[in-house]
Each structure stands twice: as structure tokens, then as C-alpha cells.
Amino acid sequence: MGFQLVIAEGKEAGREFLFDQSSVVIGRTPECDVILYDAGVSRRHARIFDEGAGFHIEDLGSSNGTVVNGSKVAKQALKDGDAITLGPVKFTFASVAGDTVDEPEPAPAEGGQHTRVVNASELKRSRNKGVAMLPKNVNTGEREKIERRSTQMMPVLSGPRPSAPKPPRSSRPSGPSPIVKLDAAAVEAPDSGTDLGTVKVGGAAQEQRLSAADRARLKRGGAVGAAKLFWLDASKPKRVIVAGTGGLFLLLVLALFVSVLIPPEAKKKAPEMMELLDEPMDQSYGVGDGVSYERVDQKEFDFQVKSPVEVMVVLHYQCSDLSENEVSIVVNGIDMGFAPPDTLAVNERTVELLIPSKHIKRNQVNSVIFDNVKNPPETDRWRIWNVWIEVTVLPEKDPVGLKADANERYKRGEQKWDQRDIGASNRWEAYKAFREAWLTYEALDPAERGPVYQLARDKMNEARRELDLQCNKLLLQARGEFNQGKYEAASATLDWVEKFFPTKAHPCQLRAMQERADLASTLE
């Protein structure tokens, strides 16, 4: 009782191997029975063995795992037609009765094991070791370097990537069947260029014929076996027609993939945003490399607040390439000050500008203008991005009620702050409570705010600094794991950002999304 492996996907798709030993190890080192020089295959990846009742496969602690019929397994029984995936290589498994195999005499292998290679042109050079699927024109030193290198993890940061269309099996003949007995005179040197479409059977040159046992084995292989049987029985003109039709089909599938993966809206530039929303926009404005829309001297936005009661608005934005007093911010014709100049952490910094309720036009259109007072005539670099607004409704209470609400929120912030090392979200909850207390105090007249107003503001800034540090730590950790090839760990670290920063009110969630996209683009 033996078994057969057919490479369905990989560098040598269509190649067949027949085994009669009770255990076969597949990996990337010369000690393995089947050697795969693919980057996603571990040095000792998996083992197929006979347990008496049938063949089983077990994973040998590989980096990318062993997949059977689309699912990762540690150990599993095999049946005919099972698809075994090791890294980028996919095999089709089939058991073969020992008394149906009529094979050429193999040369002894290490440890008494050998692998029968179906390809006639490689039969001589593959007897004494497993199967070394080595890239062409690779010398001995390069081969040893490939064997020693670490296994590459298969990519996981940008979500499922669409694979290229697979060529139909009928477009690539796989050589003579392992059940056909080869005449020794038919086996030529590897560089002789023998056409494996025909071999000498029984000493006479004629088109390859299949035995009844061979046909039965192919029929048991399902659709793949039926396609192979059709190919072997087809005449040369019919093969040319099938190959041409398959090539045309592949071109049509590729065109379909391109049209699906690149939607029409992505092929043209998105329209410029003119209205502020309650989430950061992914466009940038100003002068210099990387801006979505060039605006030499100013950028204007509109926003509308529909509320029956008084509200405050917090304007969020990021800015860079600014000097002192370069870009002023004007809300409804009222000068609100200047955007801050650059610092060392300019790309991580988010600016918040509080717009008091007295400057907000409820149920009307409001305007916000970022005005670069130095341009023109100069054309200095400047940039704003991640602009959005946060609307806070002021409770309809007297000063005593507002102060009570603010004090209650401040106490809740202190409780969460004391527990900040217990739960992942407690830092964020503390920051949020301190911030709500500060905003509520802002609705009071300055003479009525009291000392807790400044305490709430100081604690809010302290919590914000710790959140910024936590954000930078997570992003640096993800980048380091990615550079070490630990793609799954890097993706999991970026997922943790949502635990610490559950909303986009802090820019870390947006920065994590951008970091994930940047890391994924390096794998393309």
C-alpha cells in the first residue's frame, strides 16, 4: 500500500510523486524525503505516515501550518482527493494499491528510503535523495543558503488578498504516469530535451498508452484525474485548441479581477471635502508633497449645527510645516487665534480648538477658514489634515446645576484614573470624563468656575499624554514585529489599539489604520 502526491499549485505544478514507505517527511532540508525550496515551507514541515488503518498527516511545528482542504490541522486522516497545502505549495493526495505499481528499479537512498519521480528526464538524477525542487541556475552555495534561511510567514496585515487565477490543469501536461513501465532506452540525459509527451513503451516508439489500472486510478482522482485523463487521450490538435481556449479564459478572468479590485471610484480622484463632519476626513490641504488638494493661502470649510439648545463645538485638526503665527483660524468672521508651530512630535500631535457657544450659529451654516497669512506672495510649505468637529450640547441648567454635573464627571474621571493599569480602556475612560468636566465648566462664566475647572483641565492633559505614549508604544511594537517577519503578531498589536482607543476622538485609531495600510503595501 502506497500513496501518490500531485503538485496542484506551486513552482512545479502538475508534477507527480509515488511513495511506498510507511513514513514520508516533507520540508526544506536535505534530510527530508521530499524537499520543497519554497520560502513558506519550514525545514521540517509535515509528515505523512501509515497507521495501519490508512494514511495520516501531522504538522511538525511549521511556521505557516499544515492545511488540509482549507483548514489548519495538527494531525488528520487522509482520503483520496484531499488537498494538502504547505506554504505556497498545494498537493493532491491519493492512495495507491501496492500490487498495481510497476516501477523501474530505484537506486538505494539514505536510510533505505527513496522517492519515485515520474518525470522521465529526472528519473536518473532523483534516485538517491528525495525530491529537490530547486530553482534553476542555483549553485551549491546558494542552495545551502536557502536550506538555512528562516521560513517566511505568509502575509496577514491588509485582510484577504485575491490570488491570481489558476491555470487549468489541461494546459500543462504532467508527463507519463507512474504506473507505465518505462523502457531504459527511453530515458535520456537531463539536457537531451526529450519530449515527455511520448516515451518508448515496450521498446517501440509510439504515443503513450495507459494501462487499465492507471485509468482507474485517474478516474478515482475526481475532476483533476478526469481532466488529466482527457488531456492524455486528446490528440495534438485538440490539445492546442484546449490550451488556446484556456489562455483566453485566463485573460478574461484577469480582466474581471482588475475591474473588481479597482472600483471606478478609486480610479478617479475623490471630490474635495467642503463640509466638516463628526469624523476625521482623509484629505489634506496646503502646499507641498503629499497634499490631496493644493491651497496656496487658505482652505475654507462649512458646517451646520441643528440643535434647539446651546452647544459648544470643538474643532479637531492636525498641522505641519508651520512657523509661529503663520496660519490663523477664523470662525464665522471671528479670529480664534493661530495654529501652533511645528514640534518634534508634529505628526502625532492633534490640536483641539474650543469654539464657544456664543460664536456658533445654531440651525445655520457656519464657516471655518484656515488662512495662511504669509502666502501669497510666498509659496512656503504648509499642511492641515484630519479635520473634524465635535459638538457638545450644553445642559439647560443654572450655574449650580452645571457645576454639580462637572464635579460628578471629574470624580468619575479620578476613579477611572486610579484603575488605569487594571483595564485596557480605563485610561481612555478617565480622559473622557476629565474632558467632559472641563467642557461643562467652559459653559460657566469664568468667575463661577472654581478651582476644579483647572484641575479637570490638568488631569485631562495628563491622561492625554499617557494615551499618546501608549499609542506610540503600540505602533512601534507593531513595526518591530513586522520587521522581524512576525506578521500575525504585528496585526494583533494593531488590533489592540481599539482596546485602548475605542473612538476616533483620539488620533491613534486613525494612525493604526494608516500604519496597517503602510505595512501591507510593503508586501505587495
Side-chain angles (χ1 to χ4, degrees), residues 11 28 37-41 43 144-152:
K11 296 178 180 178
R28 208 177 65 240
Y37 285 97
D38 289 274
V41 177
R43 297 184 180 184
E144 293 177 352
K145 186 183 295 183
I146 293 175
E147 293 166 358
R148 292 194 302 268
R149 71 187 177 190
S150 300
T151 304
Q152 295 182 8

Side-chain angles (χ1 to χ4, degrees), residues 38-346:
D38 289 274
V41 177
S42 296
R43 297 184 180 184
R44 283 173 55 86
H45 199 112
R47 181 172 74 104
I48 299 177
F49 58 97
D50 187 1
E51 281 199 346
F55 285 98
H56 289 67
I57 187 169
E58 67 173 348
D59 185 74
L60 300 180
S62 64
S63 297
N64 288 310
T66 299
V67 179
V68 177
N69 297 328
S71 300
K72 279 190 177 183
V73 299
K75 178 180 177 182
Q76 180 169 312
L78 294 173
K79 62 181 182 300
D80 289 353
D82 279 349
I84 302 172
T85 303
L86 309 177
V89 183
K90 179 180 288 187
F91 293 100
T92 301
F93 172 86
S95 58
V96 179
D99 56 359
T100 65
V101 177
D102 188 7
E103 62 180 7
E105 183 67 19
E110 296 180 9
Q113 295 183 350
H114 62 273
T115 300
R116 293 186 297 284
V117 182
V118 178
N119 191 319
S121 65
E122 293 192 17
L123 186 58
K124 291 182 179 180
R125 61 187 181 192
S126 298
R127 288 180 183 274
N128 297 325
K129 199 63 182 169
V131 182
M133 281 170 252
L134 188 66
K136 295 181 179 179
N137 302 322
V138 175
N139 57 37
T140 303
E142 292 172 336
R143 176 180 62 80
E144 293 177 352
K145 186 183 295 183
I146 293 175
E147 293 166 358
R148 292 194 302 268
R149 71 187 177 190
S150 300
T151 304
Q152 295 182 8
M153 293 291 290
M154 307 305 290
V156 299
L157 283 171
S158 40
R161 303 168 104 183
S163 59
K166 303 183 178 94
R169 293 294 305 279
S170 59
S171 64
R172 184 173 182 173
S174 58
S177 166
I179 302 180
V180 176
K181 185 171 183 179
L182 300 180
D183 187 0
V187 180
E188 299 183 13
D191 56 353
S192 64
T194 300
D195 183 2
L196 296 181
T198 60
V199 296
K200 293 183 178 181
V201 182
Q206 60 182 17
E207 188 176 351
Q208 174 184 314
R209 303 295 182 187
L210 298 178
S211 67
D214 194 9
R215 286 181 173 276
R217 179 181 59 81
L218 289 176
K219 289 180 180 179
R220 290 197 303 270
V224 175
K228 185 175 180 181
L229 184 60
F230 166 79
W231 180 265
L232 294 175
D233 287 342
S235 61
K236 187 173 182 180
K238 185 179 292 187
R239 291 184 180 184
V240 172
I241 294 173
V242 171
T245 304
L248 180 60
F249 175 76
L250 284 179
L251 291 176
L252 293 175
V253 172
L254 182 60
L256 179 61
F257 265 104
V258 171
S259 64
V260 171
L261 295 178
I262 306 179
E265 58 270 17
K267 297 177 183 178
K268 59 182 180 180
K269 192 173 183 179
E272 180 179 0
M273 298 292 293
M274 306 300 295
E275 182 180 1
L276 293 177
L277 305 175
D278 58 356
E279 285 193 357
M281 58 182 63
D282 58 357
Q283 296 179 356
S284 58
Y285 311 90
V287 177
D289 297 335
V291 298
S292 305
Y293 290 91
E294 185 172 289
R295 293 292 174 263
V296 176
D297 59 341
Q298 68 177 22
K299 169 61 181 174
E300 181 175 358
F301 297 98
D302 293 333
F303 70 92
Q304 190 171 5
V305 177
K306 296 181 179 180
S307 175
V309 298
E310 295 292 331
V311 298
M312 289 189 303
V313 172
V314 180
L315 176 66
H316 299 259
Y317 64 95
Q318 290 184 258
C319 57
S320 66
D321 300 320
L322 299 184
S323 59
E324 189 77 27
N325 298 335
E326 180 175 356
V327 174
S328 68
I329 302 173
V330 179
V331 178
N332 292 330
I334 301 171
D335 191 353
M336 305 298 294
F338 288 90
D342 288 359
T343 64
L344 292 177
V346 64

Side-chain angles (χ1 to χ4, degrees), residues 391-442:
V391 178
T392 300
V393 177
L394 298 179
E396 293 185 300
K397 294 183 179 181
D398 56 18
V400 176
L402 289 174
K403 187 178 293 187
D405 285 347
N407 288 334
E408 180 182 351
R409 287 166 179 161
Y410 178 79
K411 290 180 181 179
R412 185 170 71 249
E414 285 187 320
Q415 292 175 353
K416 292 295 183 180
W417 185 250
D418 292 339
Q419 301 171 1
R420 62 186 181 277
D421 294 325
I422 298 177
S425 62
N426 282 342
R427 274 184 177 82
W428 172 258
E429 293 296 332
Y431 166 75
K432 181 180 176 183
F434 289 139
R435 192 169 184 277
E436 289 175 350
W438 166 63
L439 289 175
T440 304
Y441 275 117
E442 285 287 347

